[in-house]
Amino acid sequence: MTAGISENIYRELAGFCTFFLVGAALEAARGMLVFLLAILWRHPLISKLLDITYWIFASIFLIWELFGKNSGVLSGYVPIGIGLGIFAMWRGCTVHVVPFLSEQTIKILSSLKKRLKNTAQRAKIKLTIGKRRKD
């Protein structure tokens, strides 16, 4: 052990880093939810239900981590670590990457949808041309 730094400081620094990662994981999960909502579901009721579900699971996850890592003791580094982890992930990834990926994925999916629709129409035309008419 290094001279002058107690074991409690190391434990609290490890706790801070752990809760920083917990905050980053929560923001990453929220970013993925925003991404999925932008692509798949645009109905406001589904959006609100998924948002409520996210917050319920986020609360359970936070309580689980707090009691698992810190025996339920809410030290000052816990909310600071979670807040900084959320902010770092939000600023570094969610603000820039999620809108870009959503936009590009929607473009790709709409292009695929158009191609499939055109292919289906061509196949239908080809099938009807080959048939003989019954008079």
Side-chain angles (χ1 to χ4, degrees):
M1 182 155 40
T2 319
I5 298 179
S6 71
E7 192 173 316
N8 288 338
I9 300 291
Y10 282 118
R11 195 169 12 129
E12 289 183 3
L13 183 61
F16 173 79
C17 292
T18 299
F19 285 106
F20 179 87
L21 293 175
V22 166
L26 286 173
E27 181 58 27
R30 194 189 72 77
M32 286 188 283
L33 183 64
V34 168
F35 174 73
L36 289 175
L37 285 173
I39 293 173
L40 301 176
W41 303 290
R42 295 184 185 246
H43 195 276
L45 179 63
I46 292 175
S47 174
K48 288 179 180 163
L49 285 173
L50 287 175
D51 194 39
I52 288 170
T53 305
Y54 166 77
W55 283 110
I56 289 171
F57 282 113
S59 302
I60 291 169
F61 178 68
L62 277 175
I63 290 170
W64 183 271
E65 286 297 315
L66 184 63
F67 277 98
K69 305 273 191 262
N70 214 20
S71 302
V73 176
L74 186 62
S75 300
Y77 63 85
V78 172
I80 292 170
I82 292 171
L84 286 175
I86 288 172
F87 179 76
M89 182 61 79
W90 171 75
R91 189 71 182 132
C93 187
T94 306
V95 171
H96 304 292
V97 175
V98 171
F100 175 75
L101 286 179
S102 299
E103 205 174 282
Q104 296 304 315
T105 306
I106 289 171
K107 285 180 184 178
I108 291 169
L109 290 176
S110 66
S111 173
L112 285 174
K113 184 179 175 183
K114 286 179 186 177
R115 288 183 183 184
L116 286 174
K117 188 176 181 181
N118 289 339
T119 305
Q121 287 176 349
R122 288 180 189 161
K124 190 174 185 181
I125 290 170
K126 287 179 183 178
L127 289 176
T128 56
I129 290 174
K131 291 183 181 178
R132 290 187 175 190
R133 290 181 58 183
K134 294 182 183 178
D135 290 324

